[in-house]
Amino acid sequence: MSQEFLIQNSWLIALAVGSGLMLIWPVLTKGGGTRVTVPQATLLINQKKAVLVDIRDDDFVKNSGSVPNSKRMAIKDLKEKAGTLAKTKETPLIVLCQTGARSGAAATVLKAAGYTDVFVLDGGINAWKEAGLPVKKGQEAAADAAPKAKTPKATKQVAK
């Protein structure tokens, strides 16, 4: 009888298992950082001088802009250049991406690099914009991230 019940109700069982997996998915994909909302992130920035770390690619920044005063670093460079993000390892870091989905992996890398307070901005730059907080326009933000070309200084010619 139990085998017959399982066969007749297999779609219900599959639905229950799928629903359960969707409920625990955010817990499984959280990564190394504590998730914070936009208001919590602004408190960390204002009270504890937290540093925002934007891990998005240039294309995303050009299309949707960036948070003013955030430090941009590609996720692939985090392992090598993590030490350049803040003066001390105790400085809180808030990692953000477009939606908050990829920030967990970056937070794990930063924790492994020795940072003690690493947070993930829940909802990413999209949540930041929805909260009505300032965003640099795409081209302006991309220009800030691009290496600046050095222009040679004009030399003075002395007339003899």
Side-chain angles (χ1 to χ4, degrees), residues 2-138:
S2 63
Q3 196 173 22
E4 185 178 318
F5 175 81
L6 292 175
I7 292 170
Q8 288 177 350
N9 296 302
S10 60
W11 65 274
L12 281 174
I13 295 167
L15 181 66
V17 169
S19 297
L21 287 174
M22 289 188 328
L23 286 172
I24 63 169
W25 183 254
V27 174
L28 296 175
T29 60
K30 184 168 107 170
T34 304
R35 293 204 171 268
V36 293
T37 62
V38 173
Q40 291 169 326
T42 55
L43 280 175
L44 284 168
I45 293 166
N46 292 331
Q47 293 176 351
K48 296 189 177 186
K49 307 293 184 220
V51 174
L52 275 168
V53 181
D54 189 341
I55 61 163
R56 296 174 301 143
D57 298 329
D58 288 340
D59 291 337
F60 283 107
V61 173
K62 285 179 188 173
N63 291 333
S64 58
S66 70
V67 176
N69 300 323
S70 63
K71 294 197 175 190
R72 293 231 6 256
M73 186 173 292
I75 195 165
K76 64 181 179 185
D77 298 330
L78 275 179
K79 206 174 228 181
E80 300 166 2
K81 300 178 182 177
T84 64
L85 292 172
K87 290 181 181 179
T88 69
K89 300 286 184 176
E90 290 77 31
T91 301
L93 298 179
I94 304 169
V95 183
L96 70 106
C97 61
Q98 193 68 31
T99 61
R102 295 187 330 152
S103 298
T108 302
V109 171
L110 293 172
K111 280 202 165 205
Y115 287 97
T116 56
D117 290 332
V118 181
F119 302 92
V120 171
L121 183 62
D122 204 14
I125 189 81
N126 291 344
W128 187 271
K129 287 167 121 177
E130 285 176 18
L133 293 171
V135 175
K136 284 185 188 176
K137 298 293 181 199

